[in-house]
Amino acid sequence: PTNVDGGVFSLTQSGGNPDTSTITLTSAPFTIPAINYTSSAGGFESATYDGQGGDAGLTVMGTTGDDAITHTAGGANDAGALAVNSLLALSYKNLGASGTLMVAGNGGTDTLAVDGSANNDAFTVDATTGTVHMNNRTPIDQTGIANLVLNGYNPNNTFTLNAPLPY
């Protein structure tokens, strides 16, 4: 979504029976016929994806321009939030023990910032792929990302960067 009062939200299910649901967001009520739902009037203030512990895969795509994409860790190892620029952030939870998380740059010169916690965090970045691991959380895979920023918010964090890196 481009702001709280408008944009397009598209969800594609690729497993089982593939299906795509697209919702055009406005400040007016909108309807989702597949689930017989009509919203109340007002903006779109939050979005959360719940993988229901089913080893879900989630991909967040940037725009076609230069993007600052920020990942913030959540309370569980398979939870967090991803924000693209100042667009509406997508929170996620319950991806499952084998769930996957992908950030796709989609054009431009994109930067992925991974925010640590207030605790002692161990960041590891894989050679060649640039996959980011933080503690025992769901790894963050990437494609089309030009720059990586790892933000450790505790003086006892560790950072392991394995060359060659794609950034």
Side-chain angles (χ1 to χ4, degrees):
T2 53
N3 61 52
V4 296
D5 289 326
V8 175
F9 182 80
S10 181
L11 174 66
T12 301
Q13 173 184 319
S14 57
N17 299 317
D19 182 34
T20 299
S21 298
T22 301
I23 303 167
T24 301
L25 306 172
T26 69
S27 58
F30 62 88
T31 302
I32 305 173
I35 59 172
N36 196 26
Y37 172 79
T38 301
S39 76
S40 59
F44 198 80
E45 296 177 9
S46 66
T48 300
Y49 174 78
D50 186 342
Q52 299 180 351
D55 297 332
L58 176 63
T59 299
V60 172
M61 298 179 66
T63 69
T64 57
D66 297 346
D67 295 314
I69 302 170
T70 304
H71 177 270
T72 305
N77 285 337
D78 62 347
L82 279 158
V84 178
N85 304 321
S86 61
L87 305 178
L88 182 66
L90 176 66
S91 297
Y92 66 90
K93 62 182 181 177
N94 300 320
L95 293 182
S98 297
T100 60
L101 188 58
M102 168 68 78
V103 175
N106 202 30
T109 302
D110 301 316
T111 299
L112 171 61
V114 179
D115 290 345
S117 69
N119 301 318
N120 297 339
D121 295 318
F123 292 90
T124 301
V125 181
D126 291 347
T128 309
T129 64
T131 298
V132 178
H133 304 265
M134 187 179 92
N135 305 327
N136 294 316
R137 296 181 172 280
T138 302
I140 304 169
D141 298 318
Q142 66 82 31
T143 183
I145 300 295
N147 305 297
L148 175 66
V149 177
L150 303 173
N151 293 315
Y153 296 113
N154 184 295
N156 296 315
N157 292 315
T158 60
F159 299 87
T160 303
L161 308 176
N162 296 295
L165 293 172
Y167 308 106

